[in-house]
Amino acid sequence: MIASAWIALFAPAVGVALIALARDAISRQQAGIIAAGSTFVSFTASLSTFAIMLGDDPEERSHFSTLYTWLSAGSLEIGLQILVDPLAVFMMLVVSGVGFLILTYAIGYMHGDDEGRRYHAYKALFVFSMLLLVQAGNLLILLVGWGMVGLSSYLLINYWHQRSSAVAAGKKAFIVNAFGDAAFVISIFLLAQQLGALDFLTVFGTALGSIKLSSTVAVVIALGLLGGAVAKSAQVPLHTWLPDAMEGPTPVSALIHAATMVTAGVYLIVRTHVLFELAPAVLDTAALLGGVTILIAGAVALVQTDIKRVIAYSTMSQIGYMFAAVGLGAFAAGMFHLMTHAFFKALLFMAAGTVIHALANEQDIRKMRGLARELPWTYRAFLIGTLALAAIPPFAGFFSKDVILAHALAEGLIGPILWAIGLVGALLTALYAFRLLFIVFTAEPSQIARRHLHRERFEGPLSMMLPIGALVALTAVAGFIQVPGGWHAVDTWLEPVAASLQKPSAWMEIASPVAALALAALGTVLAWRFWGRESDVPAKARSAYPRAAGTLEQKFYFDEAYDAVLARPTQRLAVFLKRSIEEPLILSSLGEIAGSVRELGQRFSRLQTGLLRSYALALAAGLALIAAVFIAVR
């Protein structure tokens, strides 16, 4: 089992190395095959690890393995160590499985791109980084994977570096995540100082006895971990990078949203839940931040006109549900929604990519319309993804999202608030999801759609259509892994490492889906009324409430606020320091020093006469001076 886990980890890294070493000796398509193939090897090894682990007793399913000791300082020893337990295997299957489908899709999507080899190498690096993060056996290795995930996202968002917007988006993602990373590092330093160790076995085993409940240290550690999670998972207030990240190619968006980057924050909270439970107020904060993100992201998605940005805001909202779940202590429910979300979100992005591919890279939904007749298979795939996103039965989102609402009802303090927020979120989700579906695929095609639409067989190459078909199947059936009032496979699997803190009653498991489904149905009907046919209601609403519409279109002015509070003052300070300190004290002095050295060199150059007698005289004078000094000293 441990050997297969190491194979699962390093297979994508081997793919990166092969592509880098081969360079121009392989074609761009072959580079894509190597990247996808190495990820498939990882998925196969993950399946093998899962199958072997099924044979273990639930209490004996945690295994550590150290390849070598990386750092040793006193009692602190840190190695290249992995932890293979139910949570790690769960994430390994999601990352490598969905990652394989996305990397396969990318072979067709990026066909003809001039720098395809570099792109496919970056994608495989992204998968390796995420696998390192989820398999890490100690916090330092987790931090390495955490940083590599951030680096990979920067490289891929910024992949089309000739575009200034892509460069700006990549830098924004990197900088915003750096704030969360800094908070994460502070927590690691505190844990090392308090416990003298960073490996999970020691940290989780001794934290309860060494750190007092709700103490300052416990709260600071949990807040640092939460800061890292909030930034990586694009939750309010560190969420502004994710919509701009859509500047990268569509398969990058699918990978970030479905299998790697934004799921890392949810995983971190579940993995370190022992530390969060020492600071219950921080857990409540995580849940409330998730609730706020559900509402803000859902509202902003209603006015977006870029097809990928609509789906991006839906990701923020759905991750908000996961944060609400894990903040309430419903760890398995949060992870279950993470899994189903990976399936239907990858499906939505890849179906959107097919539309963009068919329309010569057009992403404005106002220029699409009527594509259901031209792209029928893509329309059906997008419809299934939309139904799952809106939590319509029997698709996966219905089973995973509504169980989170049931857990909210079971929580006595902030639970009812989050339950109400979740229901409003269900209405908003159906509204923006079906708004997107109706605008893009119904009514008469726009002139741009007629002019640019080009179709290949099956509406795209097989490397694109087959992964979409696989995700359609997963989206349709994955929800049945766990059925309220029936079986709870995910809860049972994760219970040894992340048991939920409370269990909803039978009536809660019934009432929550019924209420959510009623609001989702209302949202679907309203979306049909407003965007499924000709209607002037959206335009009238925009005219009647211009400030509200403007606030949504400006994304609640978060970017403007950060620009006013952070960016502009920093720029003004930099200009002041340059004019007051750098130029007069450093740049000017450097120029004067350079001039003095130049003048001194010119003077010494006069000593080089080229006459042997001059050099002999200088040598004799030097020796006489040295002799005089020695005589004087004696």
Side-chain angles (χ1 to χ4, degrees):
M1 176 173 63
I2 296 297
S4 61
W6 283 111
I7 293 171
L9 172 62
F10 283 114
V14 172
V16 175
L18 289 175
I19 296 171
L21 293 173
R23 301 183 67 181
D24 295 340
I26 58 174
S27 66
R28 294 185 290 268
Q29 185 176 24
Q30 288 171 333
I33 292 172
I34 291 173
S38 64
T39 307
F40 180 72
V41 171
S42 180
F43 176 62
T44 304
S46 299
L47 276 177
S48 175
T49 306
F50 170 70
I52 296 171
M53 187 174 285
L54 281 174
D56 295 339
D57 292 333
E59 296 77 16
E60 299 177 354
R61 287 177 176 167
S62 292
H63 305 273
F64 286 89
S65 176
T66 302
L67 193 61
Y68 68 92
T69 299
W70 180 22
L71 173 65
S72 180
S75 62
L76 180 65
E77 287 193 358
I78 299 172
L80 179 52
Q81 181 183 51
I82 63 172
L83 167 60
V84 185
D85 67 355
L87 178 59
V89 171
F90 183 93
M91 288 298 296
M92 287 162 61
L93 290 169
V94 172
V95 172
S96 60
V98 178
F100 163 66
L101 294 175
I102 295 172
L103 266 65
T104 302
Y105 174 91
I107 296 173
Y109 190 89
M110 299 298 291
H111 178 72
D113 188 89
D114 293 337
E115 299 184 43
R117 299 176 191 85
R118 176 169 63 90
Y119 172 82
H120 294 300
Y122 287 168
K123 295 275 279 189
L125 177 65
F126 209 164
V127 174
F128 166 70
S129 302
M130 189 66 186
L131 287 170
L132 181 63
L133 189 157
V134 302
Q135 291 183 243
N138 59 66
L139 281 162
L140 190 58
I141 297 299
L142 193 155
L143 180 64
V144 172
W146 192 268
M148 289 180 63
V149 164
L151 172 64
S152 301
S153 68
Y154 168 78
L155 294 173
L156 285 166
I157 294 167
N158 189 36
Y159 171 71
W160 282 320
H161 51 80
Q162 67 275 18
R163 300 180 183 176
S164 58
S165 57
V167 173
K171 290 192 291 186
K172 184 176 183 179
F174 195 88
I175 292 170
V176 172
N177 274 277
F179 284 95
D181 296 349
F184 188 9
V185 169
I186 291 172
S187 292
I188 291 178
F189 276 120
L190 277 174
L191 283 168
Q193 186 265 332
Q194 292 290 317
L195 305 178
L198 292 177
D199 63 283
F200 292 139
L201 184 63
T202 303
V203 169
F204 299 154
T206 61
L208 293 176
S210 303
I211 302 175
K212 293 181 179 180
L213 180 68
S214 297
S215 64
T216 301
V217 171
V219 170
V220 172
I221 289 173
L223 280 175
L225 295 172
L226 179 61
V230 165
K232 201 69 81 180
S233 290
Q235 297 294 282
V236 172
L238 300 178
H239 64 289
T240 56
W241 66 269
L242 189 59
D244 291 353
M246 299 304 98
E247 289 292 336
T250 301
V252 173
S253 304
L255 195 60
I256 288 175
H257 289 249
T260 54
M261 185 93 164
V262 298
T263 63
V266 180
Y267 167 79
L268 178 65
I269 295 176
V270 177
R271 172 57 77 195
T272 59
H273 69 90
V274 172
L275 301 174
F276 277 95
E277 288 167 18
L278 288 170
V282 180
L283 263 184
D284 291 343
T285 302
L288 291 172
L289 286 177
V292 171
T293 307
I294 289 171
L295 297 179
I296 288 179
V300 174
L302 285 171
V303 299
Q304 295 299 300
T305 56
D306 184 302
I307 187 171
K308 288 169 62 177
R309 286 180 181 251
V310 176
I311 304 174
Y313 276 103
S314 92
T315 295
M316 290 165 51
S317 181
Q318 297 306 303
I319 298 290
Y321 279 99
M322 299 174 208
F323 262 66
V326 298
L328 293 170
F331 304 117
M335 295 305 295
F336 182 36
H337 194 49
L338 183 151
M339 181 192 74
T340 62
H341 175 265
F343 298 150
F344 64 73
K345 188 51 57 71
L347 173 60
L348 285 170
F349 265 114
M350 289 156 70
T354 304
V355 171
I356 295 168
H357 189 263
L359 293 177
N361 297 320
E362 180 58 63
Q363 294 183 199
D364 191 330
I365 61 176
R366 296 167 297 182
K367 300 177 182 178
M368 297 177 181
R369 302 189 68 86
L371 297 180
R373 284 172 287 183
E374 304 295 336
L375 302 171
W377 292 105
T378 302
Y379 166 63
R380 293 184 181 97
F382 204 95
L383 173 61
I384 290 172
T386 301
L387 290 168
L389 173 60
I392 306 297
F395 299 101
F398 170 75
F399 296 96
S400 61
K401 187 164 74 174
D402 290 347
V403 74
I404 294 175
L405 299 179
H407 277 277
L409 271 183
E411 171 62 42
L413 296 176
I414 63 172
I417 297 173
L418 291 171
W419 187 75
I421 289 174
L423 291 179
V424 175
L427 174 64
L428 290 173
T429 301
L431 266 175
Y432 69 67
F434 281 97
R435 167 185 176 263
L436 180 62
L437 180 79
F438 293 144
I439 290 177
V440 173
F441 290 101
T442 64
E444 289 295 321
S446 67
Q447 293 298 320
I448 292 179
R450 287 194 180 99
R451 185 165 60 250
H452 292 294
L453 185 65
H454 65 87
R455 281 196 301 167
E456 304 173 44
R457 190 182 179 188
F458 303 119
E459 304 171 21
L462 287 178
S463 61
M464 292 173 61
M465 303 311 293
L466 289 178
I468 290 177
L471 287 168
V472 166
L474 289 169
T475 299
V477 304
F480 292 99
I481 294 176
Q482 183 156 299
V483 178
W487 51 92
H488 298 82
V490 177
D491 282 21
T492 303
W493 176 254
L494 294 178
E495 188 171 6
V497 292
S500 296
L501 300 183
Q502 75 280 322
K503 300 288 185 182
S505 62
W507 76 267
M508 294 176 182
E509 290 186 330
I510 295 173
S512 294
V514 169
L517 183 58
L519 288 170
L522 175 61
T524 304
V525 172
L526 291 176
W528 169 253
R529 172 68 180 83
F530 298 155
W531 297 287
R533 57 179 184 171
E534 292 297 328
S535 173
D536 59 354
V537 173
K540 287 183 176 179
R542 176 70 177 81
S543 301
Y545 304 100
R547 290 187 178 179
T551 299
L552 294 181
E553 290 166 357
Q554 295 300 320
K555 300 161 286 187
F556 287 90
Y557 298 100
F558 274 98
D559 284 319
E560 288 78 3
Y562 290 150
D563 187 54
V565 174
L566 296 175
R568 291 180 186 174
T570 302
Q571 291 171 351
R572 286 195 290 267
L573 178 62
V575 170
F576 171 77
L577 292 176
K578 179 183 177 182
R579 292 176 178 175
S580 304
I581 298 177
E582 184 177 4
E583 289 180 349
L585 299 182
I586 299 176
L587 295 180
S588 297
S589 61
L590 287 176
E592 292 175 0
I593 291 172
S596 300
V597 171
R598 189 182 303 110
E599 183 180 353
L600 187 63
Q602 291 174 350
R603 291 184 177 182
F604 273 106
S605 67
R606 297 170 186 169
L607 299 176
Q608 297 181 357
T609 62
L611 298 175
L612 182 60
R613 61 177 178 272
S614 298
Y615 298 152
L617 180 61
L619 181 61
L623 290 173
L625 180 62
I626 293 173
V629 170
F630 273 104
I631 292 171
V633 170
R634 293 184 63 185

